[in-house]
Amino acid sequence: MRRETQNILLILLGGALVKIAVNGDYLRYVKPAQQPWIIVGGAVMVLLGAVAIVRDLLAARAKAVDHDHDGHSHSARPAWLLLVPVLAVFLVAPPALGADSVIRTEARVPASAAAANAAAFPPLPAGNVVPLAVNEFVSRAGWDASGTLDNRTVSLTGFVVHTGGRTLLARLVISCCAADAFPVTVHLRGGEADPLASDAWIRVTGQVVPGTATKDNSYTPDFTLASIATVPAPKDPYEY
């Protein structure tokens, strides 16, 4: 690969990192705490590429002057300019992981649930409807022997997945980045979500069906729907 090509690719990649860190698209790949490191890394890459390009252009100009003194002409051909259209490719962020990833990867309870099971889960807060993260809901449904979810109405937000004739609400949980993502899923009873497209984001209220989250069904509890509404996809699509 020519030096010009290497330098422009370095700038493109660095620029893409800075862009996704600033506009929030980085949340499709890593946890929020990684934002400063992405900005710094991208800025350093852009700076290194720009310095290298300026240095090469100055060297080419000096060489051209020397050739002119010898009675020869020289025309610099900045081949890296031909790569500028690639900028659009580098700066278009692909979507976050969604329904396809859920179907390909077996759902499970977060590892922290087993540790939490060693002590009693705390009671849910007071209120007619308690908002919960999907991974907390699944953890309680699968591991909480004290039944803190029983007869309690909760609110969950996630995306729709259609698989095996069932409609699920799902979220992807990450420890560090999207590469280690795994799904947590809830089976929606009642049929209200069946017409919705996969990957549509919804907020549901309802109650767990006790005893339905087991190892045999990958800890996917049944959920009796009380209400359902479509919502915009969140800026941060993952749970932690």
Side-chain angles (χ1 to χ4, degrees):
M1 184 182 293
R2 294 170 58 91
R3 281 183 56 85
E4 296 92 339
T5 304
Q6 292 174 346
N7 294 335
I8 195 62
L9 289 178
L10 191 63
I11 290 178
L12 289 173
L13 182 56
L17 290 176
V18 172
K19 176 179 180 290
I20 66 173
V22 170
N23 68 12
D25 285 344
Y26 77 99
L27 292 171
R28 301 175 183 179
Y29 315 109
V30 297
K31 298 174 70 170
Q34 305 299 322
Q35 184 187 37
W37 300 107
I38 298 173
I39 293 175
V40 170
V44 168
M45 294 173 70
V46 171
L47 179 61
L48 290 175
V51 169
I53 287 173
V54 170
R55 182 186 60 193
D56 290 347
L57 290 176
L58 292 175
R61 180 178 297 178
K63 186 175 181 180
V65 171
D66 291 339
H67 284 185
D68 289 341
H69 289 164
D70 293 335
H72 300 290
S73 62
H74 177 78
S75 176
R77 295 182 178 180
W80 54 269
L81 287 176
L82 299 177
L83 295 175
V84 172
V86 181
L87 181 66
V89 176
F90 274 85
L91 296 185
V92 173
L97 301 177
D100 287 343
S101 297
V102 174
I103 293 171
R104 292 195 305 266
T105 309
E106 182 179 5
R108 66 177 190 265
V109 166
S112 58
N117 191 45
F121 281 82
L124 293 182
N128 293 329
V129 179
V130 180
L132 286 180
V134 178
N135 63 343
E136 180 181 355
F137 177 80
V138 171
S139 297
R140 287 176 180 264
W143 290 89
D144 180 18
S146 62
T148 55
L149 289 176
D150 294 354
N151 301 314
R152 295 298 307 272
T153 300
V154 300
S155 170
L156 307 174
T157 299
F159 56 90
V160 174
V161 178
H162 297 292
T163 179
R166 301 187 303 166
T167 300
L168 309 178
L169 178 143
R171 289 296 289 263
L172 288 155
V173 180
I174 67 175
S175 299
C176 174
C177 60
D180 60 32
F182 66 89
V184 286
T185 53
V186 176
H187 175 219
L188 302 178
R189 284 188 175 184
E192 292 91 337
D194 293 352
L196 297 175
S198 289
D199 289 320
W201 281 85
I202 56 175
R203 180 175 295 117
V204 299
T205 63
Q207 295 186 0
V208 71
V209 178
T212 54
T214 66
K215 184 177 180 180
D216 291 339
N217 66 7
S218 300
Y219 296 100
T220 299
D222 285 359
F223 188 81
T224 302
L225 282 169
S227 70
I228 181 172
T230 57
V231 295
K235 193 68 174 178
D236 185 355
Y238 301 116
E239 291 185 353
Y240 308 102

